[in-house]
Amino acid sequence: MMKTALVIISSLFFVVSASSAEAKSPPPAPHKKVVAKKIVKKPVHPAHAVKPVAIKAAPKHNATVGSLNPHEKLLKQSVVARGKRHVVYQRVALTPAAPVVPPVISAGELAGLNLTRDPLALKSNVAYVMDQASSQVLFEKNANVALPIASVTKLMTAMVVVESHQDMSEVLEVTDDDVDREKFSTSRLKVGSRLTRDDMLHIALMASENRAASALGRNYPGGLPAFVAAMNAKAKSLGMNDTHYNDSTGLSKNNVASARDLAKLVVAAYQHSIIREYSTDTKYLVEPNGHVTMQYGSSNPRLTLNKDWDLGLQKTGYINEAGHCLVLQTRIDGRPVVMVFLDSKGRYSHVADAIRMRQWVASHTTQNLTRLVSSKADQS
């Protein structure tokens, strides 16, 4: 009985507790239908409009990298350390873009001389070949056009020095005035080097030494201006009417002459044995200041060292405006011949043209040469 009464009392207590809990909870709210309100946008006056601001994201980088300068960038790399993958950033210098160098165009090309064709397909835009004994023209191509002649100028420099009868044993000194500040060409003669006038002439003709040629002109009575005036006066006396000199080295693009004029210069310079010897020499030793021995070589070893060529005189030249130039006197089957090649493309193309011309002259008689060149000249 007692157990039954306890069970009944416990059941009643549970029912009363549940009812009390339900009485304390608020009744559920009735379900309402939600209606979306229509939002009407009012026009905004332009003065009150908010303009968007571009936000640049800062590059992610390690604290050790620091700020970048305009010549650097960050290189993202993924590395594994202690079994975990990490992203690191490395500072890398930007590679500067290589400057675009325009192609070198010579004065002859600017004048359209490269469009002239010839029977030998020469690389030189100007060519002139004549019999030295009779002055008969054997070959001609743009021979009357005045062009820059580069170091062929040194032939006239030698002419003025030799014919002025200056003391060839006098010691001349290279000064700062002899340094090339136009083409920035190099020289083995340092400022302060001292050589005799004879040595200066030798390496100027054989090796085309610019500072030596400059020193020769500067040590003329009246200085370089008087020397250049003497060069132009000599050209005029030789009938070189298309010629003008501006310096004693040929580095100036204003040193110009036609191929016909240069043939006259070669004939006149050939009369001096010292010019013949020095221009065709292959090597020469000098001792600047008397204690340092230097060996110079020919600027045209392909011909001066070739025993098949009976060279009496030669001179090469090159600057951008002139192209590769070559004048020479030789004998072909015992016949004295003068050759002039100007504005040639390629480092050795003027020498190749001379070799081709020599073979061509040797394989033709005088009559056939004249007829062939005349017909080609008429066509051009």
Side-chain angles (χ1 to χ4, degrees):
M1 288 291 291
M2 194 69 172
K3 290 182 180 179
T4 307
L6 289 174
V7 170
I8 295 172
I9 293 171
S10 297
S11 301
L12 291 173
F13 178 78
F14 175 80
V15 171
V16 173
S17 298
S19 301
S20 300
E22 290 178 0
K24 291 181 181 178
S25 300
H31 181 72
K32 294 183 180 181
K33 186 178 182 181
V34 179
V35 180
K37 294 183 179 180
K38 184 177 182 181
I39 300 175
V40 180
K41 293 184 179 180
K42 297 182 179 181
V44 180
H45 192 277
H48 302 289
V50 179
K51 297 181 180 179
V53 179
I55 300 177
K56 295 182 179 179
K60 297 179 180 180
H61 59 282
N62 294 346
T64 57
V65 174
S67 60
L68 298 175
N69 63 48
H71 304 290
E72 295 178 326
K73 67 177 181 179
L74 289 180
L75 179 64
K76 182 179 179 180
Q77 292 180 326
S78 178
V79 298
V80 178
R82 296 181 179 180
K84 294 183 179 181
R85 185 171 298 276
H86 303 273
V87 176
V88 297
Y89 293 85
Q90 182 180 4
R91 188 195 301 265
V92 179
L94 295 174
T95 304
V100 178
V101 180
V104 177
I105 301 178
S106 66
E109 289 177 318
L110 287 174
L113 302 185
N114 55 312
L115 302 178
T116 305
R117 300 292 178 258
D118 65 79
L120 298 183
L122 299 176
K123 298 298 182 181
S124 301
N125 290 327
V126 173
Y128 186 75
V129 182
M130 76 172 195
D131 186 301
Q132 183 179 359
S134 65
S135 298
Q136 180 185 12
V137 178
L138 306 179
F139 191 96
E140 187 171 6
K141 176 184 177 182
N142 297 323
N144 293 323
V145 182
L147 295 174
I149 59 175
S151 286
V152 175
T153 296
K154 293 181 176 71
L155 271 185
M156 182 59 81
T157 299
M159 288 274 290
V160 173
V161 170
V162 172
E163 294 185 354
S164 64
H165 303 291
Q166 292 181 273
D167 182 4
M168 299 302 288
S169 62
E170 180 185 356
V171 176
L172 311 181
E173 182 176 347
V174 175
T175 71
D176 189 65
D177 292 334
D178 300 317
V179 177
D180 172 26
R181 291 184 173 84
E182 182 169 354
K183 294 293 190 292
F184 301 99
S185 59
T186 59
S187 172
R188 298 175 63 192
L189 288 181
K190 298 181 180 179
V191 173
S193 298
R194 294 165 58 86
L195 289 174
T196 65
R197 180 175 279 107
D198 185 77
D199 284 346
M200 293 283 195
L201 180 64
H202 200 139
I203 60 179
L205 281 173
M206 182 194 74
S208 205
E209 172 58 66
N210 289 318
R211 291 185 184 177
S214 177
L216 289 171
R218 199 171 40 75
N219 285 277
Y220 185 81
L224 185 59
F227 188 85
V228 173
M231 294 171 71
N232 286 312
K234 182 62 180 180
K236 185 176 181 180
S237 69
L238 293 175
M240 299 171 63
N241 299 323
D242 300 319
T243 299
H244 175 77
Y245 293 103
N246 195 61
D247 66 19
S248 60
T249 63
L251 290 169
S252 172
K253 65 181 180 180
N254 295 321
N255 287 12
V256 298
S258 65
R260 279 182 175 270
D261 281 2
L262 292 178
K264 297 175 183 178
L265 175 60
V266 170
V267 172
Y270 183 79
Q271 306 305 316
H272 299 283
S273 60
I274 190 173
I275 297 179
R276 297 199 302 268
E277 177 186 351
Y278 290 176
S279 69
T280 57
D281 201 0
T282 57
K283 61 182 179 179
Y284 186 65
L285 296 175
V286 296
E287 295 183 354
N289 304 325
H291 61 271
V292 179
T293 301
M294 293 192 304
Q295 178 173 299
Y296 278 88
S298 172
S299 63
N300 189 15
R302 290 175 175 255
L303 293 188
T304 56
L305 292 175
N306 192 332
K307 295 182 179 180
D308 293 336
W309 279 81
D310 185 7
L311 284 179
L313 179 149
Q314 72 84 34
K315 188 69 194 78
T316 60
Y318 174 79
I319 58 174
N320 288 338
E321 296 86 349
H324 291 275
C325 305
L326 171 64
V327 300
L328 62 87
Q329 189 277 351
T330 187
R331 288 185 174 273
I332 302 176
D333 294 336
R335 179 190 203 177
V337 175
V338 173
M339 298 185 184
V340 178
F341 302 96
L342 302 179
D343 193 22
S344 184
K345 275 289 188 182
R347 187 174 180 182
Y348 301 113
S349 56
H350 53 320
V351 177
D353 284 349
I355 295 173
R356 189 179 296 110
M357 184 64 68
R358 178 172 175 263
Q359 296 171 343
W360 188 67
V361 171
S363 63
H364 291 76
T365 64
T366 302
Q367 184 178 2
N368 289 337
L369 274 173
T370 304
R371 183 170 60 252
L372 181 57
V373 174
S374 297
S375 63
K376 292 295 179 181
D378 293 339
Q379 292 177 11
S380 62

